[in-house]
């Protein structure tokens, strides 16, 4: 029926897993578990929920919350730093969900941006395809949001450990300074991912009027996805910086206070 490609996929996946554990050590092993958990959530939680008629947007947000909690707690441990990163990620995802619904409505995106959507429609014509489009935007932004949130929360935690006299405001400012450095590269990451996956569309622009090109449903969908993810990252920076500064400062000060009282 088709060429046998699974051996190549197994080989490259095996190489990735081995390098992840060898180079990452315990963190790499934890990342491997989190990847398996995320894939399982997509196939055994998100997919059944959508196929059984649940709201795709709510299903995507629910799955993303579970994925971010499992991933961040596995890699960073159960502490205020990880909790702050999860809260920052979740709030940013909610913003991304709201933006995606607004853009889909006002730009009148159909949810049929590729031939795979037509195949899905032929098998499940009752599905909410604009909702699925919004869900795909949410899931696509999840990885970059987790990366941004963890980077900021970890930085604030390290700064606090270096100087525990810093106030919440100063920790927040430090987090924002780091976040501004992250914004440029992380936004570029999302834009480049979408450009890379849509290179054929980019090449098509040389043969079509640009105004018509940018108004094509598929092109508008890809641009919207990239920009919504980038806006979510922008929102993630101040949200995570504030939450991390507040939680790390208050929780660790409380732990030290409790320890001193027990010592006395």
């Amino acid at each position: 029926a088709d060429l046998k490609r699974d051996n190549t996929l197994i080989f490259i996946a095996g190489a990735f897993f081995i390098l992840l554990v060898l180079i990452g050590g315990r963190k790499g092993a934890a990342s491997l578990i989190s990847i398996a958990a995320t894939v399982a959530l997509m196939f055994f939680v998100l997919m059944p929920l959508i196929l059984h008629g649940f709201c795709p947007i709510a299903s995507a947000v629910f799955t993303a919350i579970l994925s971010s909690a499992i991933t961040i707690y596995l890699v960073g441990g159960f502490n205020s730093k990880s909790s702050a990163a999860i809260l920052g990620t979740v709030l940013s995802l909610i913003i991304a969900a709201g933006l995606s619904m607004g853009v889909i409505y006002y730009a009148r995106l159909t949810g049929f941006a590729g031939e795979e959507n037509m195949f899905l429609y032929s098998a499940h014509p009752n599905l909410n395809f604009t909702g699925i489009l919004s869900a795909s935007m949410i899931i696509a932004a999840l990885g970059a949001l987790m990366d941004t949130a963890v980077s900021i929360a970890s930085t604030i935690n390290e700064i606090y450990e270096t100087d525990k006299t810093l106030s919440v405001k100063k920790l927040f400012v430090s987090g924002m300074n780091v976040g501004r450095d992250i914004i440029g590269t992380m936004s570029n990451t999302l834009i480049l991912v979408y450009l890379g996956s849509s290179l054929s569309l980019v090449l098509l622009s040389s043969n079509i009027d640009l105004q018509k090109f940018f108004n094509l449903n598929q092109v508008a969908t890809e641009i919207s996805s990239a920009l919504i993810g980038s806006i979510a990252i922008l929102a993630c920076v101040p949200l995570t910086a504030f939450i991390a500064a507040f939680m790390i400062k208050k929780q660790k000060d409380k732990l030290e206070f409790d320890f001193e009282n027990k010592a006395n």
Side-chain angles (χ1 to χ4, degrees):
D2 207 338
L3 294 174
K4 185 174 175 60
R5 300 183 175 96
D6 55 348
N7 289 337
T8 304
L9 297 178
I10 292 170
F11 173 77
I12 195 67
F16 167 66
F17 295 150
I18 291 169
L19 288 172
L20 184 63
V21 174
L22 287 177
I23 297 173
R26 288 185 178 180
K27 295 285 187 181
S31 298
L32 187 57
I33 296 170
S34 70
I35 291 169
T38 298
V39 172
L41 285 170
M42 295 300 160
F43 279 92
F44 300 113
V45 177
L46 180 61
M47 186 172 71
L49 284 174
I50 293 176
L51 291 177
H52 283 85
F54 287 90
C55 173
I57 300 169
S59 301
V61 171
F62 173 70
T63 305
I65 290 171
L66 290 178
S67 176
S68 59
I70 292 169
T71 300
I72 294 173
Y73 277 136
L74 271 175
V75 175
F78 291 90
N79 47 52
S80 54
K81 173 187 70 176
S82 296
S83 298
I86 291 168
L87 284 173
T89 301
V90 170
L91 290 174
S92 303
L93 282 171
I94 293 171
I95 291 171
L99 284 171
S100 65
M101 288 188 289
V103 169
I104 289 169
Y105 177 78
Y106 287 106
R108 289 179 285 183
L109 301 177
T110 64
F112 292 92
E115 62 180 15
E116 66 276 6
N117 299 103
M118 299 304 299
F119 294 143
L120 181 60
Y121 178 77
S122 64
H124 302 278
N126 58 320
L127 293 179
N128 178 1
F129 283 87
T130 54
I132 292 172
L133 174 58
S134 179
S136 70
M137 293 179 181
I138 295 166
I139 296 300
L142 177 60
L145 288 174
M146 281 197 288
D147 192 8
T148 301
V150 168
S151 297
I152 294 171
S154 297
T155 300
I156 290 175
N157 185 67
E158 290 301 316
I159 292 171
Y160 176 80
E161 292 294 339
T162 303
D163 186 357
K164 296 184 179 181
T165 63
L166 291 174
S167 64
V168 171
K169 182 179 179 181
K170 289 183 178 178
L171 289 172
F172 170 75
V173 170
S174 298
M176 286 298 297
N177 289 336
V178 172
R180 290 187 182 100
D181 290 334
I182 294 172
I183 282 171
T185 54
M186 198 56 65
S187 296
N188 273 337
T189 299
L190 276 180
I191 299 295
L192 289 171
V193 165
Y194 283 105
L195 282 175
S197 63
S198 307
L199 188 57
S200 298
L201 274 177
V202 175
L203 295 173
L204 179 64
S205 66
S206 63
N207 298 323
I208 191 172
D209 178 72
L210 282 181
Q211 185 176 5
K212 183 178 180 180
F213 175 76
F214 285 113
N215 281 283
L216 291 173
N217 180 66
Q218 189 171 353
V219 174
T221 298
E222 296 294 339
I223 293 172
S224 298
S225 298
L227 292 177
I228 286 168
S230 298
I231 292 171
I233 290 172
L234 291 173
C236 185
V237 170
L239 285 171
T240 307
F242 175 76
I243 295 169
F246 181 81
M247 290 183 68
I248 290 169
K249 176 70 176 176
K250 297 303 179 184
Q251 184 172 337
K252 294 199 173 183
D253 281 357
K254 183 177 182 299
L255 288 173
E256 289 180 5
F257 179 75
D258 291 342
F259 179 77
E260 289 174 0
N261 285 343
K262 288 180 181 179
N264 292 332

